[in-house]
Amino acid sequence: MTRPPEETLSPAERYAASRSRAGHPSVNQFRDGLAFDLDPFQIEACGAIEDGHSVLVAAPTGAGKTAVAEFAAFLAMQSPGDKLFYTAPMKALSNQKYQEFVAEYGPDEVGLLTGDTNVNSDARIVVMTTEVLRNMLYADSDLLTGLAFVVMDEVHYLADRFRGAVWEEVIIHLPRSVRLVSLSATVSNAEEFGDWLQAVRGDTRVIVSEERPVPLDQHALVKTKLVDLFDSTGRAASNRVNPELVQLARNASWNQVPGRGRGPHGRGRQQGGRQQRGAGRPRGLERMDRPDVVRLLDEHHLLPAIFFVFSRMGCDQAVKQVLRAGVRLTTAEERDEIRQIVEERCRTLLDEDLAVLGYWEWTEGLQRGVAAHHAGLLPAFKEVVEELFQKKLVKVVFATETLALGINMPARCVVLERLEKFNGEARVPITSGEYTQLTGRAGRRGIDVEGHSVIQWTDGLDPHEVASLASRRTYPLNSSFRPTYNMAVNLIDQFGRTRTREVLESSFAQFQADRAVVDLARKVKQQEESLAGYEQAMACHLGDAREYFGIRRELTALERAGAAAGRNGGDPRPHAERERRQRRIAELRKQLRAHPVHGCAERDSHARWAERWSTLKKDTDRLTQQIQSRTNVIAKLFDRVTDVLVELGYLTTDDAGETVLTPHGRTLKRIYGERDLLVAECLRRQVWRDLDPAGLAALACALVYEPRREEPEGYDRRLPRGAFRAALDKTQELWATVDDIEREHRLPGSEPLATGLSAAMHLWARGASLDVVLGEADMAAGDFVRWAKQTIDLLDQLQGTADGAVARTARSALDAVRHGIVAYSSVA
């Protein structure tokens, strides 16, 4: 958005702009250095930061939220000694932000910390993953000195059930003097999240923008026709479904009816006097092949485009399909530039690995302007695809939904081949929030006047339901916070058990639970007033109506149970139990006839009110139980975690009655991850002391690996023998012991160790070739690198935590795993 000429503004707007500029000199200085002016929400957020506030900025993907973070960095650099930490949920996003800050401030002023990368950590601006900052806070790192700002990019990640708790830990434990710049996708409860930030951080401004910087035109591709999703003849805000689409979808459905639409007379075509095979059966809606869709988009000037496929294999197959069809989207000059970039970025890869990685086929696709992007791709390859797409050299990318999260890869057009995806258990429809996130990639700011989304129409889609999905903006942010063992020992060591309980009560999870309790309590109070009214209405002057109708309800329930048993071929319960039921029925009938209310002339009227009272009482009791379960829910969970740690000897009580850490608890302080307690137990009992580096790498892999599918029968026969087997057996025994103790304390326990990648990791650590290792692993190179880096992260913790021999073995194991494609870094 370019700056509006001064003469186009009204006098009131000119006066407001003048006041804003006068009050925020740093914002003005920052704006003067930009090629484009800031949008109103960006100006408001930057002004709030200059005024000394923390901010929560919630805006659509591509709206320019990071400009607010860049202003915070600009402000930090104006004050000698001030530092800014920029946290991101993914290493790829961290690398991208690092490169951007280096381009702005130079390599001496910018650092990068991502667990496996440590560059210039004492710089004024340091980009890091959120976990790194959490670990710094617990260790009270010297690097926190001078910290003035923390940017939490993609803060809506705190809803992630695996890693979300880390965001809340950071927000709670950052010193109050540090200003927090929280950047979020558009969420429907931004104000609620802002209220929590205000409660735990102090002065926080909430700035919400729902305006896309580049308007989105939404289309449907029905067979070979591209039509608007919404009626363009009326006002766009009405979100009225395009009547042409409704008609096309209806015709498509009509053609699926047996005997319809096959020939000129609605019958199956005849061939040689016989009906063609398959005629008269429903046929799927004909869809354009991917190469034809690419050509169609090219003809409509809708490239570059991202096709969201929701399947890694589907992405790879799509690229092959388009290349087989002879699609070429690049000029000779562009192909030369692509080759130059690819060779430069991949020069560190070993020649013998290139064929294993499919380098030549991948390069051929890039030179023709087509690529895949998914988690199974080698990180080096993904980074090249991202760079070439940003340079407009690659025109079509087939991607899984992970591309929609954070990385700067906007396109002119986004294509959704399906409106459902596999969630690990079943195919489920995508949510309106996911739809918004995916289509948020459409429209390049400063390049496109509008972005475009295309839904490829399939059987069974309802135009009105699709339009509803595309027009809603419901993406609630719900906490996934839960206390962990590592969190418990760190907080108890810092605050003591009582204060830690109070700290955890300030989590967003408890904040949301408390708000729900307030609403539930309000409803309970209303229903209790209604119950009192019902009780008054059913009151009888002859006796206790509640008692009478209680007897009647019990009698009715027992009679119905007996009747149901009779209809089902007899009561399967023992004879003595049936006798007891019959005696109880006779007793209740006698009580009912003897009760004073039984003779009341208005008994039927009393009964109607009693039935209403009973139904409402059940619902009120249910709500009351919900309130009890939500009250202090985080503190109760913390107490169970603490009890496990006391039983296992990581916590104890000192002479003053305070809960304190034992030496084993101090070891646990430095172990992070899903299996923190199990790792601490293994170190404590020295079950890994006889392992060699490759064996320790294989066992560390079993602790971090999460298989996508069940491991095949007999897989354990391929695992290393000797010391590894003994150590694995002891580790699994400890897991079972810990799991039993957790369940005794009403904690969910954990999954058994997964050894499916251990044999491959053992081979890799011993120097086996890439093709052998990937064949053993039966997985894509990118997946193997990801698990190898998580293995490295655990080995790194072990070398700094374990005693003597295990620490030395861990250091050797680190070197053994960190080589070849695993050692590749776009930063170093």
Side-chain angles (χ1 to χ4, degrees), residues 390-426:
Q390 289 163 6
K391 291 179 180 291
K392 295 179 278 189
L393 295 170
V394 164
K395 322 289 184 179
V396 171
V397 169
F398 294 95
T400 55
E401 69 270 28
T402 53
L403 179 59
L405 301 172
I407 298 172
N408 181 26
M409 273 185 70
R412 177 167 291 175
C413 177
V414 162
V415 179
L416 302 181
E417 294 193 345
R418 292 274 187 273
L419 292 181
E420 60 179 21
K421 65 175 186 176
F422 186 71
N423 67 356
E425 297 176 359

Side-chain angles (χ1 to χ4, degrees), residues 637-666:
L637 190 56
F638 165 72
D639 286 340
R640 293 172 197 159
V641 166
T642 304
D643 291 343
V644 169
L645 292 172
V646 169
E647 181 170 336
L648 287 172
Y650 289 86
L651 296 172
T652 189
T653 304
D654 65 10
D655 294 339
E658 296 293 329
T659 301
V660 294
L661 274 60
T662 66
H664 304 304
R666 299 203 172 277

Side-chain angles (χ1 to χ4, degrees), residues 315-513:
C315 292
D316 294 333
Q317 289 174 342
V319 171
K320 292 176 183 175
Q321 185 181 2
V322 171
L323 296 182
R324 278 198 306 269
V327 171
R328 187 181 297 279
L329 304 170
T330 54
T331 65
E333 292 78 11
E334 287 173 330
R335 289 193 289 278
D336 289 341
E337 188 176 354
I338 289 168
R339 273 195 300 273
Q340 183 179 347
I341 291 172
V342 170
E343 289 170 5
E344 171 64 23
R345 300 294 180 268
C346 297
R347 69 184 188 282
T348 59
L349 297 175
L350 301 176
D351 290 343
E352 59 265 29
D353 291 343
L354 296 181
V356 180
L357 296 169
Y359 174 84
W360 309 112
E361 298 85 350
W362 172 70
T363 304
E364 170 64 16
L366 294 177
Q367 290 183 76
R368 287 162 65 174
V370 182
H373 189 288
H374 54 72
L377 211 59
L378 191 70
F381 287 10
K382 277 200 295 186
E383 291 167 15
V384 170
V385 171
E386 291 159 13
E387 180 178 353
L388 294 178
F389 194 78
Q390 289 163 6
K391 291 179 180 291
K392 295 179 278 189
L393 295 170
V394 164
K395 322 289 184 179
V396 171
V397 169
F398 294 95
T400 55
E401 69 270 28
T402 53
L403 179 59
L405 301 172
I407 298 172
N408 181 26
M409 273 185 70
R412 177 167 291 175
C413 177
V414 162
V415 179
L416 302 181
E417 294 193 345
R418 292 274 187 273
L419 292 181
E420 60 179 21
K421 65 175 186 176
F422 186 71
N423 67 356
E425 297 176 359
R427 298 201 70 83
V428 296
I430 64 172
T431 65
S432 57
E434 288 168 332
Y435 180 90
T436 303
Q437 192 84 4
L438 295 169
T439 56
R441 289 283 157 212
R444 298 163 301 172
R445 190 169 190 171
I447 301 173
D448 301 319
V449 293
E450 75 269 323
H452 297 266
S453 69
V454 175
I455 298 167
Q456 199 164 3
W457 211 256
T458 58
D459 293 340
L461 287 182
D462 180 332
H464 296 283
E465 289 182 6
V466 173
S468 175
L469 174 78
S471 59
R472 287 200 308 271
R473 293 293 179 266
T474 52
Y475 181 56
L477 182 60
N478 294 314
S479 172
S480 62
F481 183 84
R482 60 180 178 81
T484 65
Y485 298 110
N486 171 272
M487 187 193 305
V489 293
N490 271 287
L491 293 181
I492 289 172
D493 193 42
Q494 192 171 359
F495 301 115
R497 183 169 181 172
T498 303
R499 171 76 179 118
T500 294
R501 240 176 156 268
E502 295 170 4
V503 168
L504 294 178
E505 290 282 64
S506 67
S507 67
F508 187 45
Q510 189 59 57
F511 185 84
Q512 288 191 307

